[in-house]
Amino acid sequence: MSTRIQGSFASLITVLLLSGCNPSMDSIYQQVIDDSVRQYQLAKKGGDKIDICVMASVVVASYLQANDEANYLKWKRIEKSDCKQAGISY
C-alpha cells in the first residue's frame, strides 16, 4: 500500500477515534475530507487504477463519517466508476 493511501487511512482512523470527543469535530471532518480529496486528485494524476479506486473509497468514507449525504452519494458514484475502471465491481 502506498504511503499516500496509508496516510489517508491514518487520517480517517483518527477521525473515527475522536468522534464525539471534541467540540470542533466539524473542522476535523472537513480537514479529513479536504486531505482525502487532495490525495484522490494526486492519484488521478499519477496513480494507477487501483490507487484511484482506493482513494475514491477513502473520500466516500470521509463524507460518510461527516454525515454529508449529498457528497457521500456523489462520491459513491465516482467510486463505482473508478473501481469499475480498475476491474473491481461491487
Side-chain angles (χ1 to χ4, degrees):
M1 184 178 290
S2 74
T3 304
R4 181 172 64 233
I5 294 169
Q6 289 173 342
S8 297
F9 284 124
S11 296
L12 185 58
I13 289 169
T14 300
V15 168
L16 293 173
L17 292 174
L18 294 175
S19 294
C21 301
N22 188 329
S24 62
M25 286 305 296
D26 287 343
S27 66
I28 293 171
Y29 288 135
Q30 191 58 54
Q31 181 181 356
V32 171
I33 289 166
D34 293 345
D35 288 346
S36 62
V37 169
R38 232 181 341 268
Q39 291 167 352
Y40 170 82
Q41 292 167 342
L42 285 172
K44 287 287 279 190
K45 288 180 182 177
D48 61 27
K49 292 178 181 182
I50 296 292
D51 286 341
I52 295 166
C53 169
V54 169
M55 290 313 303
S57 298
V58 171
V59 175
V60 167
S62 299
Y63 279 117
L64 178 63
Q65 185 62 33
N67 291 312
D68 184 336
E69 183 178 4
N71 282 307
Y72 167 78
L73 294 173
K74 171 187 167 185
W75 277 92
K76 281 301 284 184
R77 290 187 296 273
I78 293 168
E79 175 193 37
K80 184 175 182 177
S81 174
D82 287 344
C83 291
K84 184 177 180 180
Q85 291 292 319
I88 302 169
S89 60
Y90 53 96

